[in-house]
Amino acid sequence: PDMLVPLSRAWAFFASAAEHEDTMVGWRVGAHVGDHNLNRGLLRKLEIAPTLFQALQGLVRMANSEASHIQLGIYERRGDVLFWTHYSGKRDDAGYCFSQAYQIGVILDLIRHFLGRHWVPDEIGIEHSIAPDVAEALFPGSRILSQQPMGYITVPRTSLHQTALRGSSTSEVAHDPVMTEDLDYTDTLRAVLRSYLPDGYPTARFAAELMDVSERTLVRKLAARGLTYGELLDEVRLTEAKELLRKPGMRIEDVALSVGFTNQSNFTRMFRRISGLTPREFRKAALS
C-alpha cells in the first residue's frame, strides 16, 4: 500500500504468475487482497464518506489527480451506475488483463464496506476477450461481459445513498485510539447539530460554541478524521432527510425545511450530489 512499484514490473509479475501458476491469478488476488492494498489513510477517508456515491467520487478524484496512467470514472445509466477503470494505450501490454481483474477486486471490496460483505454486482465488464472461469464462484449471479471498452462494476442507483456498515472496516480503525477518540467526537457533533437543522445552516463557529471549543480546534479535530465541517454537515442533513423521506405523508418541501433549506431546489441538488438520487427517487426506492 505504501510502496511504489513500476507499472510494467507489476503487470509483468501478474503475467508470469498467470503463465506458470494460474491463469486466474488476477481474479484470485483481487478477491483475497481487496482494498487492503489501498493506502490506509485513503481507505479511512473513503469509509467515512457520507454515502457510497461520495466514496466512489472521492476515489475517482484521487486517482485522476494523482495517478499518471489509470483512469477511473462513474457513468450514470437509468437504473444503475458503472464504476469503470481503464489504462489508456496499455490494453495490449503483457499482464494488463490480469491487472484489471485485480483492480475490479479492489473496487468491489470498497463497495462492500457499504453494501455488505456478500454483495455482488449484477454486471461486470472486462476488456479481455475471454470471461474468467473462476467468475461463477467469485461472483454468483453476476453477468461477465468481455471485450468491453473498459473494466467496470455496476451499482444500482438505489444503493448509492447507503452509508458504510459499522464493523465492516478492514483498515483497523477500531484499534487506533486516536481515530476512535475522533470518531466519538464526530458522533457527538452530529447528534448536537441535528437539533439545530430546522433553524437553517449552522455555521462552523456556531458548532464550535456548541462543542465548547474554538473554531480552529473544531476544524483540526475534524481534519484528523479526514473531514471538513461542510462534509460533516452535509452528512447530518442527508441522514435526517432520508429518515423523513421514509414517512409517506411528509411533503418533500417540508423535509427540505426540516433540514435547513428554504429552497426545495437547493435541497434536491444537495441530496443528489451526495446520494446520487433525487429525494423523489430515494422515496420511491425506500417505500417500494
Side-chain angles (χ1 to χ4, degrees):
D2 298 309
M3 295 184 182
L4 297 178
V5 179
L7 200 60
S8 59
R9 291 192 178 187
W11 288 5
F13 173 78
F14 271 120
S16 178
E19 179 183 357
H20 295 98
E21 298 292 339
D22 185 350
T23 57
M24 299 302 145
V25 63
W27 296 97
R28 299 191 196 282
V29 172
H32 178 72
V33 176
D35 61 17
H36 285 282
N37 204 41
L38 289 176
N39 176 277
R40 182 176 297 181
L42 169 64
L43 182 56
R44 283 172 171 167
K45 189 167 185 177
L46 296 175
E47 287 175 340
I48 62 171
T51 64
L52 170 59
F53 190 53
Q54 286 216 318
L56 294 177
Q57 288 180 319
L59 185 58
V60 168
R61 286 194 300 270
M62 181 280 300
N64 291 340
S65 64
E66 297 185 15
S68 57
H69 293 291
I70 192 172
Q71 297 172 322
L72 298 181
I74 298 173
Y75 177 75
E76 297 191 32
R77 302 193 299 193
R78 183 169 184 174
D80 58 23
V81 299
L82 273 65
F83 187 89
W84 58 267
T85 172
H86 176 68
Y87 280 88
S88 180
K90 299 286 186 180
R91 185 170 184 167
D92 296 327
D93 288 11
Y96 179 80
C97 63
F98 308 114
S99 173
Q100 185 171 85
Y102 162 73
Q103 294 161 30
I104 287 174
V106 173
I107 296 168
L108 178 62
D109 218 32
L110 171 64
I111 294 172
R112 284 173 169 169
H113 283 276
F114 294 80
L115 303 185
R117 300 307 301 172
H118 301 293
W119 179 84
V120 294
D122 290 333
E123 183 177 309
I124 298 174
I126 58 174
E127 296 181 52
H128 195 42
S129 59
I130 302 174
D133 294 335
V134 76
E136 185 175 346
L138 292 178
F139 313 109
S142 295
R143 291 190 303 147
I144 313 294
L145 303 183
S146 59
Q147 293 185 306
Q148 299 300 301
M150 74 278 289
Y152 64 83
I153 288 177
T154 60
V155 182
R157 289 178 60 85
T158 52
S159 298
L160 294 175
H161 68 89
Q162 297 288 355
T163 56
L165 301 171
R166 293 194 178 272
S168 66
S169 174
T170 59
S171 59
E172 300 179 0
V173 171
H175 302 292
D176 188 328
V178 175
M179 298 301 291
T180 301
E181 178 183 349
D182 288 337
L183 181 62
D184 292 341
Y185 185 86
T186 54
D187 282 348
T188 301
L189 181 55
R190 289 183 182 99
V192 169
L193 287 174
R194 185 175 180 179
S195 303
Y196 293 90
L197 292 182
D199 298 333
Y201 187 94
T203 65
R205 176 178 294 182
F206 178 68
E209 291 175 357
L210 293 175
M211 298 296 287
D212 197 25
V213 297
S214 68
E215 185 175 348
R216 178 178 296 182
T217 297
L218 178 78
V219 170
R220 177 178 57 79
K221 283 181 172 291
L222 292 178
R225 192 68 178 94
L227 285 169
T228 67
Y229 176 72
E231 290 170 341
L232 182 133
L233 185 57
D234 277 349
E235 177 190 341
V236 174
R237 283 174 141 180
L238 179 72
T239 300
E240 179 69 7
K242 284 162 60 176
E243 291 185 13
L244 296 175
L245 286 168
R246 289 188 175 97
K247 299 179 180 179
M250 193 164 188
R251 299 184 306 167
I252 293 178
E253 179 182 0
D254 293 334
V255 175
L257 290 171
S258 297
V259 295
F261 287 89
T262 56
N263 185 300
Q264 184 176 331
S265 296
N266 290 340
F267 167 65
T268 297
R269 280 194 289 272
M270 182 278 297
F271 197 97
R272 193 184 190 287
R273 171 173 57 83
I274 301 175
S275 71
L277 299 170
T278 66
R280 292 186 188 280
E281 289 172 335
F282 171 81
R283 169 170 275 174
K284 182 178 178 181
L287 299 180
S288 61

